[in-house]
């Protein structure tokens, strides 16, 4: 392909050099004449292992050149990658001035360009920036409609400095946000042979994935450091602890628990989190991440309450009360706290949980139940239909299989507060609110997955 790469920085240089090496014709563009001159002299403007040789080879083969002339680069290419910087402003917000400047310049060139052209943003931008700022600018300056008169996409880059060439050549995942099929196809074709699994989504979702990735990495580093500090203060080797933690690929380094939904609970996680925070305090190791974990868990219960209150209804049918399906353990179930708080606010409450028979509860589980919901027996009903008759707001609390295929059983007057998100058909209900997903109709944002061969 003929590709123009805007921004000869850490991302743009690697993208330009690696794509030229793959046989594409690349013109790189920057406002910095030093960077333009460096590329044209066959040299890398940044330090990155292996990059100098790639640039030298590509420039010699005339597959890579650089310019400061936007119009020339646009005329000489069919696809433009925007890789300019998006640094932080002092208040933490993104400084979009470079990205908006180049979007305006590209828009002006698109105005007179007759051939089909695709504009693809690779700079890291927050979800919504494309729709609220970049698209209006492109539209204004080109007089054309993105997605129709020219292609538009958001295709985040995941390379890491110092291993950038290896990361570029062997991505695990390619995230392709596109407004039109031709742009999606072009980006898919770039990933056809590199072993990546490609996910084609809308631009907002693509932007969110980029941020979720980076903050997840940051959280991993800080979690490991927090555990290391507690271990060190306790005379333990934190490296060994984290190494063995990572050896469990079923629960620890895996998709387990990594889905939005409701708060955690049960007889172990809250208790053990409390105990470790107390121990850390005793050994003078601050635990802001563990503290925040507790705070976020409380917040998740507050959010469920707010979602129920927002319906304006006063009767609630809770589907599930135990801390997870297929157990009768109520200890520290966040659904018990939710029920308790609903009763405290005067809601009429009906609960259906197939795993629960109050007469059979024993020991600490019974004590917990009686302490928090002394009239539990009066709240429980024996079947789903009775529960649905008893509440205008249906709270799906656990993913118990008894609650599968709920959609046809719901009436139009029901409001659904879904804390699980497993039953996609539920999202079609007109009064639907999900715990960690805004889109009521998943078919509006299909994900196409193209698995590596
Ligand atoms: N550095 C990384 O490892 C990395 C990885 C993934 C994504 N990103 C994201 O990619 C984007 C670029 O990051 P970077 O580290 O390469 O930035 P950088 O600051 O190294 O490079 C940006 C380049 O854009 C140029 N530029 C600014 N305005 C321009 C214009 N109007 N026309 C042409 N060029 C212009 C600058 O002169 C500079 O050379 C950022 O949004 C960043 O968050 C960075």
């Amino acid at each position: 392909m003929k590709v123009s790469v805007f921004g000869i920085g850490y991302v743009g240089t690697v993208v330009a050099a690696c794509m030229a090496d793959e046989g594409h014709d690349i013109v790189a563009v920057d406002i910095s004449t030093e960077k333009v001159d460096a590329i044209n002299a066959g040299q890398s403007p940044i330090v990155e292992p292996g990059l100098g040789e790639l640039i030298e080879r590509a420039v010699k083969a005339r597959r890579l050149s650089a310019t400061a002339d936007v119009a020339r680069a646009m005329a000489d290419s069919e696809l433009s990658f925007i890789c300019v910087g998006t640094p932080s402003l002092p208040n933490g917000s993104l400084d979009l001035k470079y990205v908006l400047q180049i979007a305006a310049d590209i828009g002006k060139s698109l105005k007179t360009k007759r051939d089909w052209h695709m504009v693809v943003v690779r700079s890291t931008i927050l979800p919504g920036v494309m729709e609220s700022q970049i698209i209006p600018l492109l539209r204004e300056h080109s007089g054309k409609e993105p997605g129709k008169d020219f292609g538009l996409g958001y295709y985040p880059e995941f390379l890491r400095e110092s291993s950038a060439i290896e990361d570029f050549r062997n991505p695990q995942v390619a995230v392709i946000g596109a407004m039109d099929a031709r742009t999606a196809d072009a980006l898919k074709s770039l990933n056809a042979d590199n072993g990546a699994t490609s996910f084609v989504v809308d631009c907002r979702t693509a932007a969110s994935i980029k941020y979720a990735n980076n903050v997840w990495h940051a959280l991993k580093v800080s979690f490991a450091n927090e555990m290391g500090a507690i271990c060190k203060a306790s005379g333990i080797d934190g490296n060994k602890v984290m190494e063995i933690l990572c050896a469990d690929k079923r629960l620890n380094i895996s998709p387990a628990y990594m889905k939005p939904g409701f708060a955690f609970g049960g007889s172990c996680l809250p208790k053990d989190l409390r105990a470790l925070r107390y121990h850390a305090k005793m050994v003078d190791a601050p635990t802001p991440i563990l503290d925040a974990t507790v705070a976020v868990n409380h917040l998740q219960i507050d959010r469920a309450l707010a979602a129920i209150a927002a319906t304006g209804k006063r009767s609630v049918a809770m589907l599930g009360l135990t801390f997870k399906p297929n157990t009768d353990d109520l200890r520290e179930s966040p659904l018990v706290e939710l029920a308790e708080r609903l009763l405290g606010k005067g809601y009429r409450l009906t609960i259906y949980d197939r795993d629960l028979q109050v007469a059979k509860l024993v020991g600490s589980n019974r004590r917990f139940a009686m302490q928090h919901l002394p009239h539990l027996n009066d709240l429980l009903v024996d079947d789903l239909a009775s529960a649905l008759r008893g509440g205008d707001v249906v709270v799906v609390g656990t993913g118990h299989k008894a609650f599968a295929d709920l959609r046809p059983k719901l009436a139009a007057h029901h409001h659904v507060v879904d804390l699980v998100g497993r039953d996609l058909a539920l999202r079609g209900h007109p009064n639907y609110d999900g715990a960690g997903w805004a889109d009521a109709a998943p078919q509006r944002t299909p994900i196409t997955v193209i698995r590596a061969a």
Side-chain angles (χ1 to χ4, degrees):
M1 292 181 86
K2 286 170 162 291
V3 180
S4 45
V5 177
F6 291 88
I8 306 180
Y10 285 87
V11 169
T13 308
V14 173
V15 168
C18 289
M19 288 188 75
D21 193 57
E22 287 172 350
H24 301 283
D25 286 324
I26 310 293
V27 53
V29 188
D30 207 289
I31 44 176
S32 154
T33 46
E34 282 119 304
K35 291 187 175 186
V36 169
D37 293 346
I39 295 280
N40 287 331
Q43 289 160 4
S44 176
I46 58 162
V47 173
E48 179 64 42
L51 197 59
E53 297 88 90
L54 280 194
I55 292 174
E56 191 183 356
R57 202 160 65 214
V59 171
K60 264 195 195 136
R62 296 184 176 280
R63 281 198 307 273
L64 173 62
S65 65
T67 178
D69 185 344
V70 174
R72 201 202 97 194
M74 288 292 290
D76 286 350
S77 60
E78 57 195 303
L79 166 66
S80 294
F81 281 145
I82 297 181
C83 303
V84 299
T86 49
S88 281
L89 286 169
N91 67 2
S93 65
L94 273 189
D95 186 353
L96 293 172
K97 69 172 181 268
Y98 304 113
V99 120
L100 297 182
Q101 180 61 55
I102 200 64
D105 291 347
I106 287 176
K108 284 176 202 153
S109 287
L110 283 174
K111 195 180 180 88
T112 51
K113 182 154 184 179
R114 292 228 179 118
D115 298 332
W116 173 255
H117 195 97
M118 292 166 283
V119 180
V120 174
V121 178
R122 307 218 65 188
S123 302
T124 303
I125 49 166
L126 283 162
V129 165
M130 187 72 144
E131 295 78 3
S132 66
Q133 304 203 50
I134 296 178
I135 289 178
L137 262 185
L138 285 167
R139 200 181 269 136
E140 178 192 332
H141 290 279
S142 67
K144 293 180 177 174
E145 195 50 37
K148 187 168 141 275
D149 302 326
F150 63 92
L152 192 65
Y154 179 63
Y155 174 41
E157 178 51 64
F158 294 99
L159 61 77
R160 296 162 299 168
E161 290 171 22
S162 83
S163 57
I165 295 176
E166 175 64 16
D167 289 349
F168 182 93
R169 287 178 176 162
N170 299 301
Q172 270 249 300
V173 161
V175 178
I176 297 171
M179 279 190 76
D180 54 281
R182 280 171 82 176
T183 305
D185 287 345
L187 298 175
K188 278 189 273 180
S189 75
L190 292 179
N191 289 284
D193 301 319
N194 62 11
T197 301
S198 295
F199 294 84
V200 183
V201 293
D202 61 285
C203 292
R204 266 173 190 272
T205 305
S208 306
I209 294 166
K210 173 67 189 170
Y211 277 96
N213 268 264
N214 273 5
V215 299
W216 173 230
H217 299 164
L219 180 61
K220 284 175 79 167
V221 171
S222 290
F223 175 74
N225 285 335
E226 193 161 301
M227 289 308 299
I230 300 170
C231 289
K232 183 178 177 188
S234 316
I236 295 158
D237 180 353
N239 278 312
K240 205 177 278 173
V241 170
M242 289 308 291
E243 193 184 318
I244 296 171
L245 179 140
C246 292
D248 182 341
K249 308 281 189 242
R250 195 153 55 92
L251 293 187
N252 295 348
I253 307 300
S254 76
Y257 308 117
M258 291 286 280
K259 259 183 176 302
F262 198 39
F264 62 79
S267 63
C268 293
L269 300 193
K271 167 176 81 72
D272 297 347
L273 190 50
R274 270 193 301 272
L276 188 63
R277 286 169 70 215
Y278 184 84
H279 167 78
K281 223 180 277 172
M282 293 297 103
V283 295
D284 276 338
T287 54
I289 292 183
L290 301 188
D291 301 347
T293 307
V294 175
V296 172
N297 216 40
H298 287 310
L299 204 55
Q300 204 60 359
I301 300 173
D302 294 346
R303 288 183 180 123
L305 270 173
I308 294 165
T311 65
K313 305 287 180 185
R314 300 294 301 167
S315 63
V316 176
M318 271 182 67
L319 307 188
L321 187 67
T322 57
F323 85 100
K324 66 177 178 183
N326 305 317
T327 170
D328 67 352
D329 200 348
L330 288 166
R331 286 174 299 167
E332 299 212 41
S333 167
L335 291 166
V336 170
E337 184 177 337
L338 182 62
E340 209 178 350
R341 289 173 67 181
L342 285 170
L343 290 172
K345 288 175 184 295
Y347 283 86
R348 286 190 305 284
L349 186 60
T350 308
I351 300 170
Y352 173 54
D353 189 323
R354 220 169 63 170
D355 297 322
L356 213 52
Q357 283 177 280
V358 176
K360 289 196 175 162
L361 296 179
V362 290
S364 58
N365 190 22
R366 183 176 185 82
R367 277 196 299 281
F368 183 86
M370 290 306 109
Q371 189 185 348
H372 291 269
L373 295 171
H375 305 295
L376 178 57
N377 224 1
D378 303 334
L379 304 172
L380 284 172
V381 292
D382 292 335
D383 58 88
L384 185 58
S386 309
L388 297 181
R389 270 198 305 277
D392 289 331
V393 186
V394 177
V395 176
V396 184
T398 63
H400 199 291
K401 64 177 183 303
F403 312 140
D405 200 23
L406 192 57
R407 177 71 184 91
K409 299 178 184 115
L410 294 174
H413 76 272
H414 278 128
H415 286 251
V416 182
V417 173
D418 185 1
L419 306 178
V420 179
R422 198 168 298 164
D423 183 353
L424 291 187
L426 270 186
R427 301 195 196 184
H429 192 279
N431 309 314
Y432 176 88
D433 195 355
W437 42 97
D439 200 348
Q443 62 274 18
R444 283 219 318 261
T445 56
I447 303 177
T448 309
V449 183
I450 301 143
R451 296 215 179 276

